[in-house]
Amino acid sequence: MSARTVPKRINDFLVERKGRSYCDACIQERLGLKWRQQVQLITATLAVTDGYERDLDQCSTCQETKQVIQACITAASAPARRVSAAVLSMPRSRTAQDLADDAEGDIGRNSVA
């Protein structure tokens, strides 16, 4: 059994076959997954992210016209991913909660007992 999560397996499957469309039932069958509904939830989530398209089209495996998904990197999404990676690797800045905690500590030190 693979240590990869089901979403990761579906993502990898689609990315490795970039430009080809697959229905949920064929993804389920090709990956040996138990529930089609699990595949449907994951593909619906991927469909609202950059790099994926979900439409009514012909499945590359079963050749039926139905709801399918495909991985497709567009010119607009590639730079956004680089920026996101750069932002995520930035050092953590102080949050409002950090500042509130500091202020609370100052109040305790400055009060007269």
Side-chain angles (χ1 to χ4, degrees), residues 2 8 30 53 58 61 64 67 93:
S2 174
K8 177 72 173 145
R30 298 280 299 269
E53 289 181 5
Q58 187 176 42
T61 301
E64 291 184 35
Q67 185 88 280
S93 63

Side-chain angles (χ1 to χ4, degrees), residues 6-108:
V6 173
K8 177 72 173 145
R9 290 178 62 201
I10 292 173
N11 176 72
D12 291 350
F13 174 83
L14 294 169
V15 168
E16 289 167 5
R17 294 157 182 83
K18 195 175 301 166
R20 296 188 68 191
S21 300
Y22 294 92
C23 68
D24 295 339
C26 287
I27 293 171
Q28 174 197 4
E29 184 179 307
R30 298 280 299 269
L31 294 178
L33 301 171
K34 190 171 183 178
W35 295 291
R36 186 188 53 77
Q37 291 81 2
Q38 184 179 28
V39 174
Q40 182 181 20
L41 177 64
I42 294 164
T43 57
T45 302
L46 288 173
V48 298
T49 63
D50 287 340
Y52 293 91
E53 289 181 5
R54 188 172 171 92
D55 278 312
L56 191 63
D57 204 351
Q58 187 176 42
C59 175
S60 296
T61 301
C62 68
Q63 306 303 312
E64 291 184 35
T65 299
K66 53 169 80 171
Q67 185 88 280
V68 294
I69 188 167
Q70 67 172 319
C72 55
I73 302 301
T74 61
S77 65
R81 289 177 190 263
R82 283 195 295 272
V83 170
S84 297
V87 169
L88 291 174
S89 65
M90 293 173 71
R92 181 180 165 275
S93 63
R94 295 185 64 169
T95 65
Q97 183 60 48
D98 293 335
L99 297 173
D101 291 344
D102 288 349
E104 190 175 293
D106 289 342
I107 293 169

